[in-house]
Amino acid sequence: MTDITRRLGWRHLRGAPTAHVRHHRDGKLLHDGPGLSFWFRALTAAISEVPVDDRELAMTFHARTADFQDVAVQATVTYRIGDPAVAAARLDFSIDPDTGVWRGTPLEQLGTLLTETAQQHALDVLAGTPLSEALVDGTAAVRERIVAGLGAEPRLPATGIEVVAVRVMALRPEPEVERALRTPAREQIQQEADRATYERRAVAVERERAIAENELASQIELARREEQLVDQRGTNARREAEEHAAADAVRADAEAARTVRLAEAEAARAVTLARAEAAGAREVGEARAAAQEAWLRVHGEADVATLHALTGTRLAENLPRIDSVTVSPDVLTGLLARLGGERE
């Protein structure tokens, strides 16, 4: 939409680069071109604004195939107005000088023209094509036919329209037909999925069997190695027992030899000690005998009084300590009597 500013009875128009503006006054063309900016009077100006940018026209319509099946066609036509002067002369692109809004609906007219033309050619090509072929290769065929039909349509150049591109996005049958068409493919896909599942299960079973065989082989190998280990342990234990027995025998022999040596040494020492004791006892006996003999010889040669004195001395040495002696008159009389008799 053109930008229009009002000032004291005058109007100022500022167009866009993609809008071709044609300004007439009194039947004369004063301004013609895109992106213009100028002042004008609303009561004497006739202004048209023609868009010159590329525009997308989406269209959806229904068609019937050769086997009487309805399909929905989704397409897009890209077009532009190549000759704004021709388009402004054939269609009403005039704008309100106060608001800048189109007085009519020129783009809707162009859309209707393009849609009807494209639909006519699409219906022609689909009417001779079965549904299965249309769904497989119909998109390209419909697009080619629409492009050829729009290119040969004389009304489009006469209106200043140029078709830039045509795209056909989809050809869709009715939902029931689409589900029916999908069923064989789904069944085939399901069968392939089931076959893949069975194959995967078979592979899994085979792998489980291989794993079980490997485990059994591992257990057998482990048992064999355990048997070897038990045998080796028995051999080691027997060898260790033999070595312990040999060591014990050597230790016993050494202990016996040491005991024998100790016994022999003890016996020799006892014999030596006995001999020494016997010799000592003999020497002591001989000394005692010699002493006794000398004692007897001395006592035999001594007189009686000396012997009595020695006897008293020996007796005094062997008597216990006497703190006090009580002599009764009878004892004293007896002693005095004996002393007197001895003197006599």
Side-chain angles (χ1 to χ4, degrees):
M1 184 178 64
T2 303
D3 184 13
I4 296 178
T5 305
R6 293 181 292 180
R7 291 289 187 275
L8 299 176
W10 287 85
R11 303 291 187 268
H12 183 270
L13 182 144
R14 183 176 59 188
T18 57
H20 188 97
V21 178
R22 294 174 59 84
H23 176 209
H24 292 80
R25 188 179 61 187
D26 297 334
K28 295 181 180 180
L29 182 62
L30 301 180
H31 300 92
D32 185 17
L36 298 180
S37 179
F38 55 87
W39 289 92
F40 65 93
R41 287 184 176 275
L43 296 178
T44 60
I47 301 175
S48 299
E49 181 185 16
V50 181
V52 294
D53 56 338
D54 292 349
R55 292 182 173 267
E56 303 285 340
L57 177 61
M59 57 186 70
T60 301
F61 52 89
H62 292 270
R64 179 167 294 183
T65 61
D67 48 1
F68 305 102
Q69 299 295 326
D70 290 337
V71 293
V73 182
Q74 296 179 357
T76 300
V77 177
T78 303
Y79 70 95
R80 64 169 172 261
I81 299 176
D83 193 345
V86 175
R90 299 295 300 271
L91 299 175
D92 186 10
F93 283 96
S94 62
I95 62 174
D96 189 338
D98 292 329
T99 61
V101 178
W102 280 320
R103 298 178 183 275
T105 56
L107 295 182
E108 293 182 4
Q109 296 177 7
L110 287 179
T112 302
L113 175 61
L114 292 173
T115 301
E116 291 178 352
T117 304
Q119 183 176 356
Q120 178 182 356
H121 294 288
L123 293 176
D124 292 340
V125 68
L126 290 175
T129 306
L131 178 62
S132 58
E133 296 181 4
L135 295 178
V136 176
D137 300 326
T139 302
V142 170
R143 185 182 63 82
E144 293 177 358
R145 178 63 67 86
I146 291 175
V147 170
L150 293 177
E153 180 63 33
R155 293 181 58 190
L156 297 181
T159 315
I161 305 300
E162 297 179 0
V163 177
V164 177
V166 176
R167 297 188 303 276
V168 178
M169 277 74 70
L171 294 176
R172 301 290 299 273
E174 293 182 348
E176 295 80 4
V177 177
E178 187 173 4
R179 284 194 296 269
L181 293 174
R182 288 179 178 177
T183 300
R186 288 183 176 179
E187 291 295 334
Q188 183 177 0
I189 294 173
Q190 186 64 38
Q191 292 177 2
E192 293 179 356
D194 294 340
R195 184 169 59 255
T197 301
Y198 297 149
E199 291 177 356
R200 184 170 62 253
R201 290 179 180 177
V203 172
V205 171
E206 182 66 22
R207 289 181 179 177
E208 290 179 358
R209 185 183 64 78
I211 292 173
E213 291 180 355
N214 292 334
E215 291 180 353
L216 181 60
S218 300
Q219 292 178 359
I220 295 174
E221 181 65 20
L222 182 60
R224 186 179 64 79
R225 292 187 179 182
E226 287 181 353
E227 183 180 1
Q228 294 179 356
L229 181 60
V230 171
D231 294 340
Q232 187 64 35
R233 286 180 176 175
T235 303
N236 295 337
R238 185 169 57 255
R239 184 179 302 169
E240 185 177 358
E242 292 176 356
E243 291 179 356
H244 284 312
D248 292 339
V250 172
R251 191 181 301 108
D253 294 340
E255 187 68 22
R258 188 174 66 83
T259 304
V260 170
R261 287 196 300 272
L262 291 176
E264 291 177 353
E266 188 68 22
R269 186 166 57 253
V271 171
T272 302
L273 182 60
R275 290 177 180 177
E277 289 180 353
R282 187 172 57 253
E283 291 178 358
V284 171
E286 292 176 355
R288 287 180 178 178
Q292 187 70 24
E293 184 181 359
W295 185 80
L296 292 175
R297 188 174 56 253
V298 170
H299 284 75
E301 294 177 356
D303 54 1
V304 177
T306 303
L307 293 175
H308 287 169
L310 290 174
T311 301
T313 304
R314 181 66 57 85
L315 181 59
E317 291 178 357
N318 293 324
L319 288 175
R321 181 179 177 181
I322 300 174
D323 293 333
S324 63
V325 178
T326 303
V327 181
S328 64
D330 295 335
V331 176
L332 182 59
T333 300
L335 288 176
L336 291 176
R338 288 180 66 182
L339 290 177
E342 288 179 0
R343 287 181 181 180
E344 289 179 357

